[in-house]
C-alpha cells in the first residue's frame, strides 16, 4: 500500500472515527481528480466539491496564522519522562510563550502514538496516564 494511503487511514482513524460516516471535502486544483479514488479507498459514499475548490488551498494559506513549532523526542517510560517534562517544555519555549503543549504517547514496541493535550490534563503522571488510557480504550477497545 502506498505511504499516502497509510497516512490518510492513520489520521482518519487515530481518534476512533470511522471515515465512512463522513463526507469527503475536496479542495485544491487536482482535488476533483483524486476525490473519488480516495473516498472509495476510505469507504466513503459522499463527496463535496465546492465551485471554488481550486482556490481553497491558496485562500487557506493566505488566511493562516503564522505559527512556530518545537518538539523533542523522549524515548523513556512515562514515569521517567514526567520528571523531565517541565524542563523540556521550558527549554522548547525559549523564544516565547507556549500556547499548546502536546504529548504523543505509545507503549514500548508500538509504532502509532496517541495525542494527549497537556493543556487539558496538566503535567501530573496520574492525569496524563488517565487520558492516555481513556483514548487507548476508545481506539483499540482493550487495555494492555
Amino acid at each position: 500500500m502506498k505511504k499516502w494511503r497509510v497516512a490518510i487511514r492513520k489520521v482518519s482513524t487515530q481518534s476512533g472515527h470511522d471515515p465512512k460516516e463522513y463526507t469527503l471535502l475536496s479542495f485544491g486544483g487536482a482535488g476533483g481528480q483524486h476525490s473519488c479514488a480516495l473516498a472509495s479507498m476510505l469507504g466513503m459514499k459522499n463527496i463535496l466539491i465546492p465551485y471554488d475548490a481550486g482556490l481553497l488551498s491558496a485562500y487557506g494559506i493566505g488566511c493562516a496564522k503564522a505559527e512556530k513549532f518545537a518538539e523533542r523526542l523522549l524515548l523513556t517510560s512515562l514515569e521517567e519522562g514526567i520528571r523531565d517534562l517541565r524542563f523540556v517544555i521550558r527549554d522548547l519555549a525559549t523564544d516565547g510563550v507556549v500556547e499548546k503543549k502536546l504529548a504523543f504517547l505509545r507503549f514500548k514496541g508500538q509504532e502509532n502514538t496517541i495525542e494527549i493535550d497537556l493543556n487539558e490534563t496538566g503535567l501530573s503522571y496520574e492525569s496524563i496516564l488517565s487520558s492516555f488510557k481513556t483514548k487507548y480504550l476508545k481506539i483499540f477497545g482493550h487495555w494492555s
Side-chain angles (χ1 to χ4, degrees), residues 77-130:
S77 71
L78 181 58
E79 293 174 80
E80 293 173 11
I82 289 293
R83 281 187 259 136
D84 299 330
L85 201 52
R86 284 182 176 79
F87 299 110
V88 168
I89 291 171
R90 185 195 65 210
D91 290 346
L92 292 175
T94 56
D95 291 338
V97 177
V98 175
E99 293 180 22
K100 186 132 180 132
K101 297 180 284 280
L102 302 172
F104 295 87
L105 306 179
R106 63 183 170 95
F107 283 112
K108 184 177 182 177
Q110 285 186 328
E111 182 178 337
N112 297 329
T113 59
I114 296 176
E115 179 182 304
I116 306 299
D117 187 340
L118 299 178
N119 294 326
E120 293 175 4
T121 64
L123 300 178
S124 77
Y125 173 80
E126 292 80 15
S127 62
I128 294 171
L129 180 61
S130 175

Side-chain angles (χ1 to χ4, degrees), residues 114 132-143:
I114 296 176
F132 176 67
K133 184 175 183 178
T134 300
K135 288 185 176 187
Y136 191 94
L137 284 167
K138 182 178 178 185
I139 294 168
F140 298 108
H142 67 90
W143 180 247

Side-chain angles (χ1 to χ4, degrees), residues 2-88:
K2 292 185 178 182
K3 287 183 181 182
W4 63 268
R5 290 182 181 166
V6 173
I8 291 170
R9 196 176 304 265
K10 178 182 175 186
V11 168
S12 64
T13 58
Q14 189 170 26
S15 299
H17 300 290
D18 185 357
K20 294 175 189 170
E21 300 173 10
Y22 297 92
T23 298
L24 179 65
L25 175 63
S26 176
F27 64 92
Q33 295 172 338
H34 301 290
S35 58
C36 291
L38 185 57
S40 177
M41 181 195 76
L42 295 171
M44 301 173 82
K45 291 184 171 61
N46 299 308
I47 301 170
L48 175 63
I49 304 175
Y51 75 95
D52 57 353
L55 301 176
L56 289 178
S57 263
Y59 179 73
I61 197 70
C63 294
K65 176 181 154 187
E67 294 181 316
K68 179 180 179 185
F69 293 89
E71 64 182 47
R72 171 111 14 105
L73 178 64
L74 297 175
L75 294 176
T76 184
S77 71
L78 181 58
E79 293 174 80
E80 293 173 11
I82 289 293
R83 281 187 259 136
D84 299 330
L85 201 52
R86 284 182 176 79
F87 299 110
V88 168

